[in-house]
Amino acid sequence: YDAQLYELLRHPEPIAAGTPPGRIAIVHRSLRTLGSFEDALLDRDIPIALHGDAALLARHDTLDALALLWCTVDPFAHAWLLRVLQLPLLSFSDASLALICGEPAHPQAALFEFPAADEGDGSRRWDRRRDLRLGTNVVRGDRDADLEPIARERLVAFRARRAGWQRLAQSADAAAAAAAIVTDGGSYERRAGETAARARRRAALVDALLATIGRYAARHPGAGLAAALAYCEHIAGGETGPLLADPALDAVVVAAIDAIKARRFDHVYLVDVRAGSFPPYYVPDAFLFSPTYGMIPKDSVGEAVTARTAKFTWYLHAAKLRENYAREQRRLLAVGLARADVDVTVSAAGRPTRGVAAPELLVELQALAPLTTAAGFTSPPAAPALREASPPARSGEAPPPDVPAGRSASASANPAGADGSPAVSAAADLPPVVAAAERVAEMLVCVRCAPRRAISAAFEGSFTLLSGRLPAGDARVAERDVAFAFALDGAIVYGTVPALVRHAGELAVALAQRNAAAAALAVYGLRPRAWTGGFFIETADGVFTGPHEFELDEAIEGAAAVLAGRSRPLCGEHRHQERDRDLRR
């Protein structure tokens, strides 16, 4: 964590250079794992906007607000009442808490002795009122005389304020009563010694709690505040909680990747991308269900020698559950990479594992560097332009580098130019443009979207090579990981085909996803070996579907025009942006 945090926060250039905080995002697979980064930003008084499942009902700020509500409806919920006594509203010291939890100095003498409890019987106590002592002392003031004057004054004021909260809870609906109570209790006030950003984060969390109570009150008209709190207590034990979506645009976005799929940012930080964290280790459930084979238990029982049942072990291998799980995590990482318009930073702490129990996604990204440099991905320290890309590497020539502690990698989402077009120069002494086939295929759709989309396409296409699973048992597979490179109108296009499959006496190209333009470029680069009549798609479970059609001549002509600068395709969104910019000019 320390290495990642240092790498993340030692460069203040994005905000100092004028980038709006809302155009910067720190993301991970889950928002629950980003607490350390939240605190680091808040300590530097950088406001944040949370998106995703933030474990709302387990956060300290939310628990403080819930304590105010619980002490209103039930003063004998002592765990919540003790929390209220320590809030800035009362600020009781440990000595005051000990006094308020004890018996009065001169209690009334018992009229008769209680019967002796049996040995080892914990069900009978000498004083059954002990379960009500704290609440009684707070509500009735039995120990006010024993408290210090300032503590007694605060407790008397709180007792009067709580009486007003009770009347409000009985007369108003749950949502209105909760909002008034937490506001009067000081949940929105800035506390001593905290930054403005931290107070703002607490206000956002309290608003999310009130929204949860409001949704419950809307579904259950007439339900009181006590019922709403019981609902919050019920959902607090779940694996997931209410989702947060802070609409603030002047704060750094701290989010789960799946919560910001529809958004784009200038700078994206993908943190803690290490095995065990992103992705987490795959742990199967106690029971699996197959539509064909029914319920499949994991653990053996009785006198079985093995810990797992044979059926479970067989199904885990046959259905490729671990491989499919890793594949979805790769897709999630690709979504995070595609959120960046300018650059994306991927970081992790510690040394990489062998990737057996969980894949090392950062190492896989660094191993892809020779295949995606022209598509925008570069290894540190620099982000070379499109013309500075390395020549294509043959299969097996680029092993994953040894990554030190605090390792990171950068990806420029647009290294060629501000508009996304290739950096073509008329100087004769410059080397030719070297472009990955994935990027060229995406440039045929939009030259400005291509850098971001090409990284995702290259990462998805590397699944067969880097997933570690055995080659498919399909007898049609002729070759795996076939590299190609060819010259096209003064440029060099290169790439790798996951597989060549036998079809009708020919060798057909098989890709990891359906992309007719990428297939056409691959077929053109592998001519005359590859069949020009279509291409196949290899699914995650090793099944080949196809053949699918493509227009070879049209794709090659379009790619040549784009690489030479004669054509500049734009998607609808970027056409509208350019039209608006021209109108402003």
Side-chain angles (χ1 to χ4, degrees), residues 119-478:
E119 186 71 21
D121 183 10
S123 62
R124 183 177 298 176
R125 295 174 177 174
W126 70 275
D127 187 356
R128 300 180 185 276
R129 294 176 302 173
R130 189 164 63 179
D131 292 338
L132 309 176
R133 184 182 301 160
L134 174 60
T136 302
N137 290 339
V138 171
V139 173
R140 297 194 317 187
D142 290 351
R143 299 224 61 180
D144 285 5
D146 299 327
L147 295 172
E148 295 292 333
I150 185 171
R152 180 169 61 251
E153 180 182 352
R154 291 175 181 174
L155 184 58
V156 171
F158 169 74
R159 190 177 298 124
R161 181 172 292 181
R162 179 185 169 276
W165 295 349
Q166 283 186 307
R167 292 190 295 269
L168 185 62
Q170 296 172 358
S171 59
D173 67 317
I181 291 171
V182 298
T183 302
D184 190 38
S187 294
Y188 290 99
E189 296 178 5
R190 185 172 175 179
R191 298 177 181 177
E194 72 175 4
T195 61
R198 190 173 293 276
R200 174 174 171 171
R201 197 267 305 265
R202 182 175 63 255
L205 294 176
V206 174
D207 288 340
L209 173 64
L210 296 178
T212 302
I213 296 176
R215 290 191 295 270
Y216 174 83
R219 294 193 303 268
H220 302 83
L225 181 59
L229 294 178
Y231 166 74
C232 293
E233 188 176 34
H234 172 72
I235 64 175
E239 294 183 359
T240 59
L243 299 180
L244 275 64
D246 193 338
L249 299 178
D250 59 342
V252 174
V253 174
V254 180
I257 294 175
D258 57 0
I260 54 169
K261 287 182 178 179
R263 297 189 59 179
R264 285 158 53 182
F265 305 89
D266 291 345
H267 308 282
V268 173
Y269 296 89
L270 269 161
V271 297
D272 204 14
V273 183
R274 57 180 174 85
S277 177
F278 191 172
Y281 295 115
Y282 175 66
V283 179
D285 295 330
F287 289 88
L288 300 177
F289 177 77
S290 168
T292 304
Y293 305 103
M295 193 69 68
I296 304 174
K298 179 175 69 171
D299 299 328
S300 295
V301 295
E303 299 179 356
V305 178
T306 59
R308 291 188 176 183
T309 62
K311 185 177 181 181
F312 179 87
T313 303
W314 168 81
Y315 186 74
L316 187 68
H317 172 73
K320 295 182 173 59
L321 300 183
R322 192 185 303 275
E323 290 79 1
N324 290 333
Y325 170 79
R327 174 173 175 264
E328 293 303 317
Q329 294 296 315
R330 286 184 176 88
R331 285 185 170 182
L332 188 64
L333 180 62
V335 171
L337 294 173
R339 298 307 95 207
D341 283 344
V342 177
D343 61 57
V344 57
T345 300
V346 186
S347 68
R351 297 187 63 83
T353 65
R354 296 177 61 187
V356 177
E360 284 282 359
L361 300 184
L362 178 56
V363 176
E364 293 183 4
L365 278 176
Q366 291 180 318
L368 280 174
L371 301 180
T372 57
T373 304
F377 184 86
T378 57
S379 292
L386 183 59
R387 284 190 175 276
E388 299 172 351
S390 302
R394 294 187 299 273
S395 177
E397 282 191 349
D402 187 16
V403 187
R407 58 196 190 276
S408 66
S410 299
S412 173
N414 197 354
D419 60 353
S421 58
V424 179
S425 174
D429 56 345
L430 290 179
V433 173
V434 180
E438 291 89 353
R439 176 168 183 176
V440 177
E442 298 299 337
M443 290 172 66
L444 296 177
V445 179
C446 178
V447 294
R448 296 184 65 181
C449 293
R452 183 177 66 255
R453 294 169 59 91
I455 295 175
S456 174
F459 196 55
E460 175 73 12
S462 68
F463 169 68
T464 302
L465 176 63
L466 297 173
S467 63
R469 64 182 176 89
L470 296 176
D474 197 323
R476 293 179 296 174
V477 177

